[in-house]
Amino acid sequence: MSPRQGLDRGALLSAAAQLADSDGFQALTLAALAQRLDVRSPSLYNHISGLPGLRQEMALMSVQQLSRALTAAIADRTGDDAIQAIAAAYIGFVREHPGLYEASFHAPDREEPQLAAASTATLELLLHSLQPYPLTEAEALHTVRGLRSLCHGFASIEAQGGFGMDFDPDESLRMTVSAFLHGLRHLHQD
């Protein structure tokens, strides 16, 4: 069977991301994707290696798009402004692409070279942004892990409707990141 005219790998991945964002990552199956694209499921194998291949591609797309969002958010910012922008961009990405974001946690092969390189590039971006703070190399790595945990936790609670009170969630995020940054500046004063 020849590939459907107009259907290519990029269009397939774009449709998969839209499906995951609208219906949830767990709803992303080859049957659901084929239905959305109006093709038969076997046609998808002309472009991807089954569901594991699709999940691997989605994980890579997720990490690359998040990295681009973080890079754009930083622009010429440094210090606290850069970290605040990173946190806001991270949360913004999850709000806009909840299914694609979740895909980053379901890669069948985390060591695949392209995914590993994209993940490393994001890590290096974050480490560079932390250079103004008085951190050792190990402390900077712990800080990246902490900042990621903060952002992921915030985004997860928000996505589950956990912020029901009438307070601006963006202001809550800003204050939380400010407290995190205050701790970094005073890390060695105890």
Side-chain angles (χ1 to χ4, degrees), residues 9 56-57 60 63-64 109-121:
R9 189 173 154 273
Q56 189 71 36
E57 295 281 348
L60 176 61
V63 172
Q64 289 175 331
D109 181 4
R110 303 270 331 148
E111 304 301 321
E112 186 276 324
Q114 281 187 294
L115 181 58
S119 297
T120 299

Side-chain angles (χ1 to χ4, degrees), residues 65-117:
Q65 287 190 16
L66 177 59
S67 184
R68 283 195 293 270
L70 300 182
T71 300
I74 293 172
D76 295 328
R77 294 182 173 95
T78 60
D80 289 8
D81 287 344
I83 303 302
Q84 288 283 0
I86 285 170
Y90 192 106
I91 300 303
F93 179 80
V94 178
R95 286 175 181 160
E96 188 173 348
H97 302 289
L100 182 59
Y101 172 71
E102 188 175 344
S104 69
F105 299 101
H106 297 280
D109 181 4
R110 303 270 331 148
E111 304 301 321
E112 186 276 324
Q114 281 187 294
L115 181 58

Side-chain angles (χ1 to χ4, degrees), residues 158-170:
E158 184 177 54
Q160 297 298 317
F163 296 146
M165 297 172 64
D166 189 20
F167 285 102
D168 180 3
D170 292 332

Side-chain angles (χ1 to χ4, degrees), residues 2 19 49 65 80 86 98 114 119 130 132 136 146 189:
S2 62
L19 179 63
S49 299
Q65 287 190 16
D80 289 8
I86 285 170
Q114 281 187 294
S119 297
L130 290 170
T136 66
Q189 293 182 355

